[in-house]
Amino acid sequence: MQQNRSEELFLKCVGKYEINRGALIKPDWETSYLTINLDGLISTIVDKGIKKEGRTLIRRNSYIITQRDNRNSVRNIYKINGKYGTYSVESPQRYRTLIGTCQKGRG
C-alpha cells in the first residue's frame, strides 16, 4: 500500500521566559523543534528531548498548536507568526510565558 504524507513545515524556535519569571532553576534559553502539519491536523513538538503532539489551527500566516494532557486540560499553547518569525508558548497551569523567534529547518 502507498501512504500519502501531508505537507509539513519544520521550525527551530529559541525563546526566553518573560521578565517576571521568578528564580531561575534551569537555563534561561529554551529550544523547541516544531513540525507543523499544514493540513491542520496534529503537529509534533520536541521540547527538551520530549516528543509532544497537539492539534493545529492555521489562520493565514499564523499557527496555533494546543497541547492537552490526559484529563483534556490545556498544558501549552504554541503561537507562531510565520510572517514575522516570532513565537510564544503560554503555559496556563504554570503561569509562564516563553517568547522567542523561529527559523525554518530542514526536518
Side-chain angles (χ1 to χ4, degrees):
M1 281 198 165
Q2 187 176 7
Q3 264 186 325
N4 289 340
R5 292 201 54 169
S6 60
E7 193 174 342
E8 294 179 333
L9 176 66
F10 300 100
L11 299 173
K12 177 184 177 183
C13 301
V14 178
K16 188 175 186 178
Y17 284 100
E18 64 181 356
I19 296 170
N20 298 326
R21 62 189 176 273
L24 290 176
I25 299 171
K26 298 180 180 178
D28 226 5
W29 293 93
E30 290 197 9
T31 303
S32 299
Y33 297 94
L34 306 173
T35 303
I36 299 173
N37 186 330
L38 295 179
D39 284 345
L41 302 172
I42 301 292
S43 293
T44 306
I45 303 139
V46 178
D47 192 15
K48 299 178 204 165
I50 301 171
K51 186 176 180 179
K52 307 170 188 176
E53 289 185 342
R55 294 196 54 81
T56 308
L57 176 65
I58 300 172
R59 290 189 181 148
R60 294 187 185 162
N61 209 9
S62 65
Y63 311 95
I64 300 172
I65 303 169
T66 305
Q67 178 200 2
R68 297 184 178 269
D69 61 7
N70 295 341
R71 292 177 284 174
N72 207 24
S73 59
V74 176
R75 295 211 27 115
N76 294 314
I77 301 170
Y78 295 81
K79 296 180 181 179
I80 299 102
N81 185 326
K83 184 176 182 180
Y84 299 111
T86 59
Y87 94 116
S88 66
V89 181
E90 298 172 7
S91 302
Q93 293 178 349
R94 295 186 286 165
Y95 305 106
R96 296 171 73 179
T97 302
L98 182 76
I99 300 170
T101 60
C102 287
Q103 297 175 353
K104 285 187 181 180
R106 295 183 184 183

